[in-house]
Amino acid sequence: MDLVPGLKQLEGTLSLTADRINIVKSKLEDLLFRAQKISAAAKNNMKDNDTMYGYDLQNFRRDLRTFGMDLSGLTGLLAGMERIAAYDVAAGKFATGVMRASSRVSNSMKTLHDMSLLAHQHIRQNDQKILAWYIAQEIEEMMQKCAGLPAIANKIVILTTTEPPGAVPPASPAPPANPA
């Protein structure tokens, strides 16, 4: 694959992944609010009307596993692009776009992990609390996989923007002739 089209495709993939992380985050946020509501009801000795919470938590974990499989391929894509990266002025712009997108993915995963730990703290039922702990562990594993993405993207930026040693620098314009 050529460098510039590969970087364009990689930037798009990373942007879509960051959007998917936001979707997963919104689902987890819904589960967190429901857990807070259930917890508040239990604390006030009120009846809880959310009978589907455990089922929704199991579905979220299943969807999270599927998403984790998709997420695990990003490191390989970036590493492959790093192997073919070379000095190219046109590719430098796209490499910085890949860098921004990979930082966005990494930061989104950190936020998702924090939210999963918060959701785990609010759940009261033992079986659901265990399930939430597994979810938090799986998200932490995904976060660790994504933590190295900005470093690899930074290497690509360096490779595409740094002239190789021994390269002839561009000729400077000739000084204007002195009309004397």
Side-chain angles (χ1 to χ4, degrees):
M1 177 178 282
D2 291 332
L3 184 60
V4 173
L7 287 172
K8 286 180 184 178
Q9 183 178 6
L10 189 57
E11 183 179 4
T13 302
L14 287 168
S15 293
L16 287 174
T17 302
D19 292 341
R20 286 184 64 196
I21 291 171
N22 286 333
I23 292 169
V24 170
K25 190 169 96 174
S26 67
K27 289 178 183 178
L28 182 60
E29 191 174 3
D30 174 58
L31 290 171
L32 170 63
F33 288 144
R34 288 169 62 191
Q36 289 172 337
K37 185 178 173 186
I38 292 168
S39 175
K43 189 185 296 184
N44 296 328
N45 294 326
M46 297 174 65
K47 184 169 177 355
D48 171 37
N49 293 332
D50 195 352
T51 58
M52 296 297 291
Y53 185 76
Y55 179 73
D56 290 340
L57 201 60
Q58 289 175 348
N59 282 338
F60 177 76
R61 184 175 183 208
R62 185 190 67 229
D63 295 342
L64 187 67
R65 285 181 181 168
T66 305
F67 177 64
M69 297 303 272
D70 296 339
L71 198 63
S72 64
L74 289 179
T75 305
L77 289 172
L78 271 170
M81 196 57 58
E82 180 190 358
R83 282 191 293 275
I84 66 168
Y87 176 68
D88 186 357
V89 177
K93 181 178 89 173
F94 297 109
T96 56
V98 168
M99 174 73 178
R100 282 191 300 272
S102 64
S103 294
R104 184 176 160 213
V105 167
S106 180
N107 291 337
S108 295
M109 283 305 300
K110 288 176 187 173
T111 305
L112 183 66
H113 180 249
D114 292 342
M115 190 178 291
S116 70
L117 292 175
L118 188 61
H120 171 260
Q121 291 173 351
H122 283 284
I123 295 176
R124 297 283 180 216
Q125 288 185 349
N126 289 338
D127 56 341
Q128 293 174 357
K129 193 162 188 77
I130 291 170
L131 189 58
W133 178 249
Y134 287 138
I135 289 171
Q137 292 299 309
E138 290 169 5
I139 291 175
E140 181 178 4
E141 197 175 300
M142 287 187 270
M143 180 192 70
Q144 290 172 350
K145 288 178 185 176
C146 291
L149 296 179
I152 298 171
N154 188 36
K155 289 179 186 178
I156 295 171
V157 170
I158 291 170
L159 289 170
T160 57
T161 58
T162 305
E163 291 184 22
V168 178
S172 61
N178 191 2

